[in-house]
Amino acid sequence: IFTNAFTIIATCIVMISINPLLAVAALFLLPFLTIQSYRMTPRMWTFYGKRHRASRRLNSQLNDSITGARVVKAFGQQEQELVRLGKGNKGVREAEIDVMRYDNKFTILYSTVENLASFIVWGLGAALILSGTNMEFGMLVTFAGYVSQLQGPLDFMSWVFRWMTDCLNSSQRMFEIIDAVPEISADKKIVTKVSGSIELNNVSFRYTDTM
């Protein structure tokens, strides 16, 4: 994050020093991009949480099915287990599709801003050259190169919002377990030494005669 943020800041400073007008035209969408990314984060949190819960349910079902395979076969519940696993798998698929669909909105947003900035720079730069100002074609090419240099760090920053949301979503559930307080009665008694014996008298077992 530090490296890419420093690259963005340094590039913006160089662009302003080359031509303030073109710099403003190229960078005026960055505040909008930041605000929009921040506004999209809560909904992305919901989709990532939905995916994690669906994956956790499916993993639990798989664990139960594998460890209890003998019981499932003994009671002839194979078809029912397949139906149950199918529902869990469908939930994971739908949650994953929702995440990818919302991820695509981030990609589209950042790609649109980056391409629009390049288009504005080339269009405005060409207009300045044709109008007879001190803008030269070499300067415009150099400036456009700096605009292109911003694309990599901006793409990285778009992923930072997604990575942060995914990681915080996972860590939240981890800390729910770590911070859980045991439900122990207030009048509990601590037993330091256990002693005694259990005695069984006149105990028997048999199957009921059904004949």
Side-chain angles (χ1 to χ4, degrees):
I1 293 176
F2 175 79
T3 303
N4 285 276
F6 178 78
T7 301
I8 292 174
I9 295 172
T11 304
C12 291
I13 293 174
V14 173
M15 290 167 61
I16 293 173
S17 65
I18 293 175
N19 191 301
L21 179 60
L22 281 180
V24 171
L27 302 175
F28 81 98
L29 288 176
L30 287 185
F32 163 77
L33 191 63
T34 304
I35 295 172
Q36 190 62 25
S37 298
Y38 181 78
R39 292 178 60 185
M40 292 171 66
T41 300
R43 186 162 178 80
M44 185 165 55
W45 176 284
T46 302
F47 286 129
Y48 274 110
K50 179 182 175 183
R51 184 179 70 175
H52 281 295
R53 288 190 296 270
S55 299
R56 189 167 64 249
R57 282 195 300 268
L58 180 60
N59 290 334
S60 177
Q61 291 174 357
L62 285 172
N63 180 69
D64 293 342
S65 299
I66 293 174
T67 57
R70 293 179 182 271
V71 178
V72 172
K73 284 191 174 184
F75 287 92
Q77 297 294 310
Q78 292 93 328
E79 292 297 327
Q80 287 79 355
E81 283 297 305
L82 286 174
V83 172
R84 191 166 72 96
L85 288 173
K87 291 180 179 179
N89 191 43
K90 181 180 178 182
V92 173
R93 182 190 65 193
E94 292 177 350
E96 189 69 36
I97 290 175
D98 289 338
V99 169
M100 290 297 103
R101 185 181 292 118
Y102 207 72
D103 271 352
N104 288 338
K105 290 185 178 181
F106 262 88
T107 303
I108 292 171
L109 175 65
Y110 277 76
S111 296
T112 301
V113 171
E114 292 167 3
N115 293 325
L116 188 59
S118 296
F119 178 78
I120 291 174
V121 166
W122 280 107
L124 181 59
L128 292 175
I129 293 174
L130 294 175
S131 63
T133 61
N134 59 350
M135 171 66 70
E136 297 178 356
F137 181 72
M139 182 184 296
L140 177 58
V141 172
T142 302
F143 195 93
Y146 281 108
V147 173
S148 300
Q149 187 174 323
L150 286 175
Q151 294 182 1
L154 287 178
D155 289 338
F156 175 82
M157 290 300 176
S158 74
W159 280 105
V160 165
F161 283 97
R162 287 173 268 188
W163 290 334
M164 179 180 65
T165 304
D166 192 14
C167 293
L168 290 178
N169 214 308
S170 300
S171 62
Q172 182 185 31
R173 285 187 299 280
M174 293 171 59
F175 283 108
E176 285 176 359
I177 299 174
I178 295 174
D179 298 336
V181 179
E183 296 181 358
I184 302 177
S185 176
D187 56 348
K188 60 183 181 296
K189 295 181 180 180
I190 301 176
V191 180
T192 57
K193 184 178 180 181
V194 179
S195 62
S197 60
I198 298 175
E199 184 177 350
L200 302 176
N201 294 320
N202 300 322
V203 177
S204 61
F205 170 80
R206 71 182 178 89
Y207 288 103
T208 303
D209 188 4
T210 57
M211 301 299 293

